[in-house]
Amino acid sequence: MFTGIIEATGKIEAIRPTGGDVRLTLSTGKLDMSDVALGDSIATNGVCLTVVEFTGQRFVADLSTETLSRSTFANARVGQVVNLEKAMLASTRFGGHIVSGHVDGIGEVLSVSENARAWEVWIKAPDGLARYMAEKGSITVDGVSLTLNRVDGARFMLTLVPHTMQETNIGTYQPGTQVNLEVDVIARYLERLMLGDNAAHSGQSIDMAFLTKHGYAK
């Protein structure tokens, strides 16, 4: 579990295809690795990766075909800057929101513009994630806990202070950049809970017919 508060940025040093999936080697920049052990989790651009090897300021992680199919790591490149966060401790300040490190979809940056000292970034999410996005709610973008300041269909706008731009890879975004998105986990569970006993039956989902039948809409 993570908070979405980035501790450091690192870089992809090597990408090695291995038996149908991929093994990554990543440098960790200023991330404190003194308390890291084999098997620990490090969120990398919002993806929970397991440390399988580490030496000094670098670690190695295996990416399954599932991870490659659901995240931007399918198009990863050597030298790419990534956001890093170690798994939270019980004593950690909870500065962001609950982040699982399980990517829900890939978004695309539409625009990046200045507004006084802040930056406004518009991103297009997959249509299927739009129902989880609410104005002033939370979303995770490449592992960063952020606030949805505007929502327009499946498009949303972020307002980013200079510190965020400097301490994460968001400063490298430009139109067309693909990003990992994780919606608020509470919204996902609420949707599932609303199905009630119907959740046990395959093919069940919440749509207008379901909402009308159960009195949530007319």
Side-chain angles (χ1 to χ4, degrees):
M1 196 65 69
F2 308 91
T3 69
I5 303 301
I6 301 305
E7 297 178 83
T9 57
K11 286 186 179 180
I12 298 175
E13 290 192 340
I15 304 171
R16 182 159 60 94
T18 307
D21 49 39
V22 168
R23 174 163 284 197
L24 288 184
T25 301
L26 302 108
S27 63
T28 57
K30 64 180 182 181
L31 187 72
D32 180 8
M33 296 286 286
S34 64
D35 59 350
V36 171
L38 289 178
D40 280 359
S41 297
I42 297 178
T44 306
N45 268 10
V47 180
C48 178
L49 298 182
T50 300
V51 176
V52 297
E53 297 177 20
F54 73 99
T55 55
Q57 291 303 117
R58 58 182 44 82
F59 74 97
V60 176
D62 290 323
L63 275 63
S64 67
T65 55
E66 170 73 4
T67 300
L68 294 171
S69 68
R70 287 184 174 268
S71 73
T72 58
F73 278 117
N75 299 312
R77 64 188 186 280
V78 173
Q80 179 179 339
V81 177
V82 293
N83 297 321
L84 300 174
E85 180 191 358
K86 294 183 293 186
M88 65 182 294
L89 303 172
S91 59
T92 302
R93 283 192 177 91
F94 205 162
H97 70 285
I98 297 173
V99 176
S100 66
H102 304 155
V103 173
D104 292 301
I106 296 173
E108 181 180 343
V109 176
L110 300 177
S111 66
V112 181
S113 59
E114 292 182 77
N115 184 347
R117 292 192 307 115
W119 291 80
E120 293 181 348
V121 179
W122 278 94
I123 295 174
K124 171 68 168 64
D127 289 348
L129 299 186
R131 64 183 181 271
Y132 302 110
M133 302 186 319
E135 190 167 313
K136 300 306 178 183
S138 296
I139 193 165
T140 307
V141 179
D142 276 348
V144 186
S145 172
L146 295 167
T147 299
L148 296 149
N149 281 324
R150 293 186 198 168
V151 177
D152 178 13
R155 300 165 64 247
F156 62 91
M157 189 266 281
L158 309 167
T159 302
L160 305 166
V161 297
H163 178 82
T164 302
M165 299 294 284
Q166 294 163 8
E167 297 298 322
T168 73
N169 70 354
I170 297 177
T172 68
Y173 287 2
Q174 56 187 338
T177 298
Q178 291 191 317
V179 294
N180 293 320
L181 301 177
E182 180 185 334
V183 299
D184 191 336
V185 66
I186 296 174
R188 279 189 289 169
Y189 279 115
L190 280 174
E191 180 182 50
R192 189 71 174 167
L193 284 168
M194 286 178 68
L195 287 171
D197 292 340
N198 290 302
H201 305 290
S202 63
Q204 293 294 315
S205 62
I206 292 178
D207 52 21
M208 285 306 299
F210 176 91
L211 293 173
T212 301
K213 178 180 177 181
H214 292 86
Y216 294 105
K218 294 182 179 181

